Amino acid sequence: MIGQSSKFRHVFGKAATREHSYDGVPITHSVHDNHYCSANPCFIAVVTECTAGGCFLVLPIHHTGRVVPQHPRVCGHRGRVLDVKWNPFDDYSIASCSEDCTVKIWDIPAFGLQQNLTKARKTLVAHSRRVAIIEWHPTAENLLLSSAYDYKVLLWDISQAGAVILYPVRVILMPVHHRYPSEALLLSVSFNSDGSRLAVTSKDRRVRVLDPRAGKILQVSSWKSHRANKVLYINGLKMLLSTGSSSWRHRQMVLWDEDLSEPLYEEDLDGSAGVLFPFYDPDTHMLYLAGKGDGNIRFYELSAEKPFISFLNEYRSVLPQKGLGVMPKRGLNVMGCEVFRFYRLIAVKDLVGPLSMTMPRKKSEVFQEDLYPPTAGNQAAVTAREWLLGINRDPVLMSLNPEIKPENPYAEVCTASGRLSPIGFMLAPPAGVETEDQDFIELVDHH
């Protein structure tokens, strides 16, 4: 097994102490299999329980310790919030979706919230039932996917003018002639690294690969014994990984070739019932599996050759996690040899606990280049319009070496007054973009 000789076999999980956690956070009671948490180098957002409507907390990342019950929240939804996701290219912009059938885009002040935020910058209105999933495009600016219980999967360009956007720029899936196919009710979504492909799991528990521009289903898994729940692109290895259950109701992970013809590898893990959330780090080829309702997180190393997957280790805790957020690589403590960071939502304790995956090294004062190759940064590779016209580009990479570039590119902005845009990325769109985008909208509308 690779695990025996892997340099990552010594990685261990180190949970933050209570004073370095976020204590007193009333985590949502919602039963959806979502993460309910999203993090970036400036803020952490957590979906909370509230008496009316739906809301979530946004805390500056260093605001650890006790969170007072009166802490301001983002509370403009009329129904329960089901998912929150920070914009990968703007640390002050976050999307949320809700049982009220809408998706909203919020601007967060640089210092965090001083009062309740009820007015969203954009409200996306095209779904007729609760919106369960949102996902930002990994390389194109301003593109957001939404999936709802009306069997529609839509792609939005949030740079469109107006506070309310009624029409998506692409309809990826939707009912036809009152047929509601189970493949259009999604359980999870994952873009590949350049966003040209979309892997989904659906209510019929199969894995599919779609062309998100054309809305065309390209591949479908036919493996009868695996009922898929979550799916992830394993970028860099031309594979997909799904977690779900076997016909014997065992929790299972399956590794697929990109064509989904048959599994490359499958493993039954245990008999627990909670959903297995998979997380993958393409820089280290490490896979993490965290069970909902479990206290443990297993980690593995993936490779292109057989046996493909090697077990490395397991973090164990007696406290069960309801959901998890993940810090982007650019927010990790690289001089502390931190290779991954989770934010575990521990509902039984009203606690959000950071968990650092750390690689012990003797010379921790030296930047460890082998642990931190150039990684996807916070700069978009294409505009929404370029991507819609068919241009694919790989993510724009950044170095994590603090001597080359600050660990957090927004370090000055986080302490500045007011909200500043990331410098250098805010290029004005070419003249006439709005009219061409309008054509896209009308095309979608007429269909």
Side-chain angles (χ1 to χ4, degrees):
M1 296 288 279
I2 323 163
Q4 303 311 307
S5 59
S6 166
K7 68 180 173 194
F8 296 110
R9 69 187 183 278
H10 299 302
V11 167
F12 67 99
K14 187 180 181 193
T17 58
R18 200 166 187 116
E19 57 267 27
H20 290 103
S21 301
Y22 307 86
D23 195 1
V25 177
I27 292 157
T28 177
H29 297 163
S30 172
V31 294
H32 275 260
D33 293 324
N34 285 350
H35 295 311
Y36 302 118
C37 179
S38 187
N40 70 29
C42 289
F43 299 106
I44 177 169
V46 183
V47 181
T48 57
E49 194 58 28
C50 49
T51 46
C55 46
F56 59 97
L57 267 178
V58 172
L59 300 169
I61 208 79
H62 302 299
H63 181 132
T64 51
R66 187 86 189 150
V67 179
V68 296
Q70 304 79 25
H71 194 283
R73 301 185 194 195
V74 181
C75 49
H77 281 289
R78 290 192 312 277
R80 212 178 261 250
V81 174
L82 298 181
D83 204 1
V84 287
K85 294 274 166 69
W86 288 104
N87 184 334
F89 310 122
D90 182 351
D91 283 351
Y92 302 94
S93 170
I94 189 167
S96 60
C97 64
S98 164
E99 289 184 347
D100 67 10
C101 312
T102 67
V103 178
K104 290 179 184 280
I105 312 295
W106 308 88
D107 288 337
I108 305 299
F111 280 124
L113 298 179
Q114 307 301 315
Q115 58 192 45
N116 281 353
L117 181 59
T118 56
K119 194 170 189 290
R121 172 159 56 100
K122 303 277 179 187
T123 300
L124 318 182
V125 184
H127 288 293
S128 56
R129 297 194 63 190
R130 64 184 185 267
V131 187
I133 296 171
I134 45 176
E135 191 69 49
W136 292 95
H137 193 282
T139 57
E141 207 168 23
N142 293 318
L143 282 185
L144 181 73
L145 174 145
S146 64
S147 166
Y149 277 74
D150 56 6
Y151 295 81
K152 288 180 188 169
V153 183
L154 308 175
L155 196 63
W156 303 86
D157 177 359
I158 63 151
S159 68
Q160 286 180 44
V164 177
I165 302 178
L166 299 175
Y167 302 113
V169 286
R170 281 286 183 276
V171 175
I172 300 176
L173 293 172
M174 69 179 295
V176 182
H177 306 305
H178 303 289
R179 278 181 54 251
Y180 294 87
S182 55
E183 64 262 25
L185 192 56
L186 304 190
L187 303 178
S188 77
V189 302
S190 174
F191 281 102
N192 68 348
S193 60
D194 67 4
S196 61
R197 292 286 177 270
L198 181 71
V200 303
T201 52
S202 306
K203 194 181 172 186
D204 64 1
R205 309 302 289 274
R206 292 184 175 199
V207 180
R208 287 175 175 79
V209 171
L210 291 87
D211 175 341
R213 290 188 186 94
K216 189 176 169 195
I217 295 171
L218 305 174
Q219 270 99 23
V220 187
S221 67
S222 59
W223 206 242
K224 302 286 190 289
S225 66
H226 176 64
R227 292 172 52 77
N229 202 308
K230 300 288 177 188
V231 68
L232 265 191
Y233 258 101
I234 303 298
N235 290 318
L237 295 180
K238 292 189 164 35
M239 296 175 189
L240 292 129
L241 179 120
S242 60
T243 59
S245 55
S246 68
S247 30
W248 300 97
R249 302 273 174 179
H250 285 137
R251 289 201 294 193
Q252 194 180 46
M253 66 168 162
V254 174
L255 197 61
W256 306 87
D257 197 281
E258 276 186 314
D259 68 3
L260 296 179
S261 53
E262 58 177 315
L264 297 170
Y265 176 94
E266 60 180 315
E267 184 181 332
D268 286 11
L269 295 162
D270 56 41
S272 299
V275 166
L276 276 174
F277 294 121
F279 302 87
Y280 179 65
D281 177 4
D283 301 342
T284 58
H285 298 308
M286 281 180 70
L287 168 75
Y288 301 86
L289 294 184
K292 182 181 176 181
D294 302 359
N296 64 330
I297 298 175
R298 299 173 172 95
F299 27 117
Y300 303 80
E301 188 168 20
L302 269 55
S303 83
E305 282 92 45
K306 284 185 176 177
F308 302 116
I309 293 188
S310 312
F311 177 74
L312 291 171
N313 212 330
E314 184 171 3
Y315 167 81
R316 289 175 178 272
S317 164
V318 294
L319 297 172
Q321 58 233 357
K322 183 184 176 82
L324 301 104
V326 169
M327 176 60 75
K329 290 301 278 279
R330 58 194 173 85
L332 298 181
N333 174 11
V334 295
M335 298 316 283
C337 296
E338 184 182 36
V339 291
F340 211 78
R341 190 191 307 159
F342 289 104
Y343 290 87
R344 297 176 64 232
L345 270 51
I346 302 161
V348 292
K349 297 274 186 186
D350 284 351
L351 189 74
V352 180
L355 174 68
S356 290
M357 295 298 173
T358 303
M359 177 80 178
R361 285 279 166 100
K362 283 179 184 155
K363 290 188 173 175
S364 59
E365 70 280 358
V366 179
F367 178 71
Q368 308 285 328
E369 280 188 46
D370 62 319
L371 295 184
Y372 304 105
T375 193
N378 55 353
Q379 187 173 351
V382 286
T383 64
R385 180 167 169 257
E386 286 171 334
W387 185 83
L388 290 163
L389 291 171
I391 296 169
N392 294 324
R393 285 202 195 112
D394 287 330
V396 178
L397 302 182
M398 65 180 281
S399 169
L400 294 180
N401 187 335
E403 291 180 10
I404 294 175
K405 206 172 189 179
E407 222 176 301
N408 172 6
Y410 296 135
E412 303 79 33
V413 181
C414 282
T415 56
S417 58
R419 182 178 181 279
L420 300 179
S421 302
I423 309 303
F425 311 158
M426 305 298 289
L427 301 172
V433 164
E434 271 189 36
T435 54
E436 299 210 15
D437 277 357
Q438 206 63 39
D439 294 343
F440 283 129
I441 292 164
E442 285 169 9
L443 278 172
V444 168
D445 198 26
H446 289 149
H447 286 289

